[in-house]
Amino acid sequence: MTVGEMLVATVPMARTLNLEFLETTPERAVVRLPDQADYHNHVGGPHAGAMFTLAESASGAIVIAAFGDQMARAVPLAVKAEIGYKKLAMGEVTATATLGRPIADVVAELDAGQRPEFPVAIEITRADGAVTGEMTVVWTLRPNG
């Protein structure tokens, strides 16, 4: 099962919004929100809440791809998120997430008994490539027990 398939199977909101996980690697996650009238806002584009969920889901996908091998000893948790809506989004939108710290550095902190935190940067774009939003989610790996 791919990371995207696993998230769709286990995260009801990802299924509700019909998110499409296009790429999920430790280096990059790309997730698309199809254009769906049920999730439009008052100007006919994707609702801000749907765009937030899209971006947060892309951040979760890269975290699972990068740190899935650590899940037996730590659980990933979002600590905080900040989003900026830059341009009007219309039609389908795509979120591209990248890690803000090297994987090895995060794992080294976990190995040292710490609770590492790391940012994930997400860019949300329209089909024409225009950036409609930017988001940063700070994640942690909380050690089990």
Side-chain angles (χ1 to χ4, degrees), residues 56-82:
E56 193 277 339
S57 296
S59 77
I62 199 169
V63 168
I64 298 297
F67 301 107
D69 60 341
Q70 304 299 318
M71 297 304 154
R73 65 181 183 142
V75 62
L77 298 169
V79 174
K80 63 182 173 181
E82 184 175 336

Side-chain angles (χ1 to χ4, degrees), residues 5-79:
E5 291 167 340
M6 190 244 339
L7 287 171
V8 168
T10 60
V11 179
M13 195 63 172
R15 282 193 310 276
T16 297
L17 290 178
N18 299 305
L19 297 181
E20 300 168 358
F21 292 80
L22 306 177
E23 180 181 340
T24 52
T25 69
E27 291 77 36
R28 188 170 107 129
V30 181
V31 183
R32 181 172 46 219
L33 173 66
D35 187 21
Q36 302 166 90
D38 285 348
Y39 305 113
H40 282 178
N41 59 21
H42 62 289
V43 294
H47 188 278
M51 290 176 52
F52 183 98
T53 301
L54 166 70
E56 193 277 339
S57 296
S59 77
I62 199 169
V63 168
I64 298 297
F67 301 107
D69 60 341
Q70 304 299 318
M71 297 304 154
R73 65 181 183 142
V75 62
L77 298 169
V79 174

